[in-house]
Amino acid sequence: MAKNPGKERKSVPEQRRNEVFRVLSEKLRKLSEGRRQTPSEVLQRQSRDER
């Protein structure tokens, strides 16, 4: 079986970190759903769109 360049298998700890991050980010999105944005978040998004 040939290896795909750039498609290296992740180590178990790295896979676990990715899973933990995914779960935490999902929870954070649920907690902040419908929350009004602060002015700094609005400015940051505008700046990002200009790039």
Side-chain angles (χ1 to χ4, degrees):
M1 183 178 228
K3 286 187 176 183
N4 293 336
K7 293 273 186 174
E8 297 175 21
R9 292 188 70 166
K10 295 180 180 177
S11 67
V12 173
E14 186 177 355
Q15 289 174 344
R16 178 75 179 132
R17 279 194 306 270
N18 289 342
E19 179 66 17
V20 169
F21 180 80
R22 188 189 63 74
V23 170
L24 289 174
S25 61
E26 208 172 274
K27 288 180 180 180
L28 181 61
R29 280 193 295 277
K30 286 179 183 177
L31 287 172
S32 62
E33 187 174 49
R35 181 182 65 83
R36 291 187 61 181
Q37 295 178 343
T38 64
S40 61
E41 290 173 316
V42 173
L43 291 173
Q44 185 178 29
R45 283 194 173 82
Q46 287 173 351
S47 174
R48 188 180 304 139
D49 292 338
E50 292 172 0
R51 291 184 217 158

